Amino acid sequence: MKMLRFRKKQHLVFLLCVWCLVVDLSKAETDESEGGPMEKTEKTALYSTIQGFVGDSWNGSYLYPDPCGWTPIQGVTCDMYDDHWYVTALSFGTVQEKSLACTDVPVIRPQLFELKHLKSLSIYSCFTSPNRYLASVSDEKWLELTKSLERLEIRSNPGLIGELPSVITNLTNLQSLVVLENQLTGPLPENLAKLTRLRRLVLSGNKFTGRVPEVFGLTRLLILDLSRNVLSGSLPLSVGGLNSLLKLDVSNNYLEGKLPRELQYLKNLTLLDLRNNRFSGGLTKEIQEMGSLVELVLSNNRLVGDLTRLEWRNLKNLVVLDLSNTGLTGEIPGSILELKKLRFLGLSNNHLGGKLIPQMETKMPSLSALYVNGNNISGELEFSRKFYERMGRRLGVWGNPNLCYNGDEIKNLSEHVPFGVNQCKRVKADKY
C-alpha cells in the first residue's frame, strides 16, 4: 500500500514538472512571437535602418528575433525605458569589432530617425562610392533626434560630399560631434555656438572653406580640431572664451592674421597646433602666459620676429616646441634651458644666429630631438660624446655654414658625426 502511494506521488510530481515545462515553452514562444520587451515599431525601425546600411539581404527578424536580449546584434546597444528595450547606440563600419559592415552603396533610411532614444550614431568608412550626400536627409528628419542624440561620428567616408547640414546645430544635446576625413565642402555652419553642451568638436580632414565661425558659449568644449581643411581668414577672438579647452588644432589651413592675444586666457590648454598656415605679426607675448601648454607647434607660418622676445621659462610644462620656418631672428635665448621637460625642439629654417648653447646637454635632460638646421648659427659644437650618442639621428644642425664640430669628442663614432657639418680646423702653434 505504501509503495502504491509513493508511486502515485512520483507520478504527480512528474506530471507537475511536465506541465511547468509546457507553460515555460508556451510563454517563450509567446515572448518570441511578440519580440520580447521591445516595441514592435522600435524593432521594425531598427531592422530597416540596418538593412539600409548593410543591404536588403540581411534578415534581422529571422537572425535576431530579440535584438536587445538573447540574440544581440553587433554594433547595436540598448537600454531599458519604461520596462521596454530601446536602441541607444548604432555603429556602422569597421571601426570596432562589434560594428556592422556596410554594403557598397548604403542608404540612410528615414526609419533611423524613428529610434527616439538614440544617443550615439557612428558611421565609419561606409560611404566609399562617390557622390553621396548627407544633405539628402531632410532637416525634419534630423530634428527628430534633437532630444536624444548626444554623439554623432561620421569618419573616413571618401564618397561623402556636399556641405555639412546646418540643421546639425539644432541637435543641442550633442556632446561630441566628429566629422573626420570625409570629402565634405562648403562653409562650416555659422551657428555651431548653439551646441553649448559640446565637449569634443572635430571637423578635420575635409575640404571645408570660409572662415572659422564664432564659438561664444562653448565653455564645456575640451577638444577643438578644425585641421586639414581649406579654412581662411583670422582665428576668431571668441576662441579665448573656451575656458575648458585642452586641445586646439587648426593646422594645415590658410588662416592668417596675428595670433590672438586672447589665447592667454586658455589656462587649461595643453596642445596649441597652428602649423602650416599664414599667421604673421610675430610671437605674441601673451603666449608666455600659457603655462599649461605641453605642445606648442607654430611651424611653417610667416610670424617673423625675435625669438628672445618671450620669457620661455614660463612654459615649464612644454614637451614639444616647434617654431621651424617661421622667419624668426635673434639668438637662442638662455631662458630656454629652463624647459626641463622639453623633448623636441624645432627651430630649423629661420634666421637665427649666435652659438648653440652647450648647456642644453646638461640643463635639458629630457631633450631627445634638436633641429636647428638652415640658420646662421656659428662657432663650435661644444657637446660631449654622450650627447651625440643620446641624440643620434635626431640632431639636425646642417645648413649653418659657419658651424663646425670638435672631432676629438666623437672620435671612432662615425655614425654620430653631425650630418652636413665640417670638423673644426685647429691652428697649430708655431715652434721656435
Side-chain angles (χ1 to χ4, degrees):
M1 192 69 178
K2 290 183 178 180
M3 181 61 70
L4 183 60
R5 289 178 180 175
F6 177 74
R7 287 181 177 177
K8 285 184 177 180
K9 286 182 179 180
Q10 277 188 320
H11 185 66
L12 287 172
V13 170
F14 175 75
L15 290 176
L16 183 61
C17 290
V18 170
W19 181 79
C20 289
L21 181 60
V22 170
V23 170
D24 286 344
L25 288 173
S26 176
K27 185 177 184 299
E29 290 177 359
T30 302
D31 286 346
E32 183 175 335
S33 64
E34 294 178 359
M38 187 177 193
E39 289 185 353
K40 185 177 180 180
T41 54
E42 181 81 359
K43 186 185 293 188
T44 301
L46 173 62
Y47 290 154
S48 180
T49 298
I50 295 176
Q51 281 185 326
F53 279 95
V54 306
D56 289 330
S57 61
W58 185 84
N59 191 348
S61 59
Y62 176 76
L63 296 173
Y64 306 98
D66 188 11
C68 294
W70 58 278
T71 57
I73 305 175
Q74 289 182 332
V76 178
T77 303
C78 304
D79 207 347
M80 294 285 288
Y81 293 88
D82 299 325
D83 298 323
H84 284 79
W85 286 113
Y86 289 92
V87 178
T88 56
L90 285 175
S91 182
F92 297 102
T94 56
V95 67
Q96 299 173 352
E97 291 183 3
K98 295 183 177 181
S99 300
L100 291 156
C102 292
T103 187
D104 292 338
V105 186
V107 177
I108 300 177
R109 292 186 176 179
Q111 287 79 8
L112 167 66
F113 305 95
E114 296 175 9
L115 302 172
K116 56 186 177 183
H117 291 287
L118 189 65
K119 293 183 178 181
S120 175
L121 175 61
S122 176
I123 303 172
Y124 177 83
S125 194
C126 283
F127 297 101
T128 54
S129 300
N131 302 330
R132 313 300 297 175
Y133 293 85
L134 272 180
S136 62
V137 179
S138 69
D139 289 358
E140 290 76 15
K141 289 299 180 184
W142 284 111
L143 290 174
E144 290 180 18
L145 299 178
T146 300
K147 294 182 179 180
S148 63
L149 200 63
E150 298 177 356
R151 178 177 176 269
L152 177 59
E153 185 166 335
I154 304 172
R155 293 184 54 186
S156 302
N157 295 280
L160 198 59
I161 63 174
E163 297 186 5
L164 184 65
S166 59
V167 70
I168 295 291
T169 61
N170 289 310
L171 303 178
T172 52
N173 276 318
L174 277 180
Q175 297 179 24
S176 176
L177 176 58
V178 177
V179 182
L180 173 66
E181 294 175 350
N182 305 288
Q183 294 292 318
L184 297 178
T185 56
L188 296 176
E190 291 185 3
N191 296 325
L192 281 173
K194 290 171 60 178
L195 302 175
T196 56
R197 296 188 179 185
L198 274 183
R199 300 174 67 84
R200 180 170 62 163
L201 178 58
V202 178
L203 304 177
S204 63
N206 289 280
K207 297 180 179 179
F208 292 125
T209 57
R211 303 178 70 87
V212 177
E214 295 292 345
V215 289
F216 289 112
L218 300 183
T219 55
R220 301 182 186 182
L221 199 63
L222 301 176
I223 298 173
L224 176 57
D225 186 352
L226 306 178
S227 63
R228 294 179 291 134
N229 282 293
V230 199
L231 299 172
S232 57
S234 58
L235 202 58
L237 303 185
S238 56
V239 166
L242 304 179
N243 303 326
S244 302
L245 203 63
L246 300 176
K247 296 182 179 181
L248 173 58
D249 187 350
V250 294
S251 62
N252 297 287
N253 280 288
Y254 295 90
L255 299 175
E256 57 189 10
K258 294 184 178 181
L259 302 182
R261 294 182 176 180
E262 286 73 13
L263 291 173
Q264 65 179 310
Y265 301 121
L266 304 179
K267 299 300 184 182
N268 297 305
L269 199 68
T270 59
L271 168 69
L272 178 60
D273 192 345
L274 309 180
R275 78 183 106 175
N276 298 328
N277 278 286
R278 297 175 176 176
F279 289 112
S280 58
L283 291 171
T284 174
K285 293 193 70 173
E286 283 72 18
I287 289 179
Q288 68 191 27
E289 304 300 324
M290 305 174 69
S292 60
L293 278 178
V294 175
E295 298 182 47
L296 175 59
V297 184
L298 305 177
S299 54
N300 298 318
N301 280 287
R302 305 168 181 173
L303 294 175
V304 187
D306 197 325
L307 183 60
T308 61
R309 186 183 180 194
L310 268 64
E311 289 291 338
W312 294 101
R313 59 174 56 89
N314 295 346
L315 303 177
K316 295 183 183 297
N317 289 309
L318 274 184
V319 173
V320 174
L321 174 59
D322 192 354
L323 303 174
S324 301
N325 193 30
T326 51
L328 295 176
T329 58
E331 300 183 359
I332 299 176
S335 62
I336 215 164
L337 296 175
E338 299 191 35
L339 303 181
K340 307 298 184 184
K341 298 180 181 179
L342 198 67
R343 296 179 184 175
F344 181 96
L345 177 57
L347 299 172
S348 59
N349 299 315
N350 283 295
H351 306 288
L352 300 175
K355 297 186 65 175
L356 199 56
I357 306 174
Q359 289 83 2
M360 284 182 169
E361 176 177 352
T362 55
K363 298 288 187 179
M364 305 175 74
S366 300
L367 191 64
S368 57
L370 173 61
Y371 294 95
V372 293
N373 47 288
N375 282 285
N376 297 313
I377 295 173
S378 59
E380 181 178 323
L381 292 173
E382 300 178 16
F383 299 121
S384 73
R385 171 175 176 161
K386 287 184 177 180
F387 182 77
Y388 290 114
E389 290 177 339
R390 182 174 107 196
M391 303 300 290
R393 299 293 183 183
R394 297 179 301 276
L395 176 62
V397 290
W398 65 88
N400 291 283
N402 298 313
L403 188 65
C404 62
Y405 70 91
N406 183 349
D408 294 335
E409 291 293 343
I410 51 176
K411 190 180 294 183
N412 301 323
L413 286 175
S414 58
E415 69 273 19
H416 294 303
V417 172
F419 175 77
V421 179
N422 294 322
Q423 185 173 348
C424 298
K425 296 179 180 179
R426 302 298 180 189
V427 179
K428 296 182 180 179
D430 295 333
K431 294 183 180 180
Y432 294 97

